[in-house]
Amino acid sequence: MRTTVIVVTALFVVLGNGAARAHAFLDHASPVVGSTVPTAPHEVSLAFTQNLEAAFSSVEVTDGSGARVDLGTPQISGSTMQVGLKSLSPGAYHVHWQALSVDTHKTEGSFTFQVGR
Ligand SMILES: [Cu+2]
């Protein structure tokens, strides 16, 4: 029984990776996902696994109270999306992105980062 569970889990992992390569998922970000940065960044930069359709891709950055701290329209070039930030105080920030990849698949995700003191 335990062996069956392990095999099924392994299969899902393999399929999951295949699907990830076919859509625009977040590859890496600056600030790094889940990181604490010592000084306030001036922008959030997101690198995806596939090129984006600029008109249908967006990102919002909010502070602990849910207020927007990004400067609005992101700059999208190829597989990267960047958005400027207001001057951030120390605290936790939430990044929520939506992407439409050139293969017309929509994905979204979110992560947090902290600005330290
Ligand atoms: Cu896709």
Side-chain angles (χ1 to χ4, degrees):
M1 193 59 188
R2 174 171 285 190
T3 311
T4 309
V5 171
I6 291 167
V7 169
V8 169
T9 306
L11 192 62
F12 270 114
V13 169
V14 170
L15 291 174
N17 284 345
R21 256 181 250 115
H23 299 19
F25 280 109
L26 189 61
D27 185 53
H28 58 273
S30 172
V32 173
V33 172
S35 66
T36 299
V37 291
T39 54
H42 297 291
E43 64 176 27
V44 166
S45 178
L46 308 173
F48 290 87
T49 56
Q50 202 171 47
N51 285 355
L52 305 175
E53 287 291 354
F56 301 100
S57 301
S58 61
V59 58
E60 277 189 15
V61 186
T62 52
D63 67 13
S65 67
R68 291 276 295 265
V69 296
D70 61 80
L71 297 179
T73 313
Q75 278 189 291
I76 296 169
S77 174
S79 61
T80 66
M81 176 155 61
Q82 290 174 283
V83 70
L85 297 173
K86 297 175 181 172
S87 104
L88 305 185
S89 316
Y93 295 89
H94 186 85
V95 179
H96 182 83
W97 55 264
Q98 290 188 298
L100 184 73
S101 56
V102 289
D103 71 2
T104 73
H105 293 141
K106 198 156 193 183
T107 51
E108 64 180 301
S110 61
F111 66 91
T112 58
F113 69 88
Q114 300 247 2
V115 176
R117 292 188 273 159

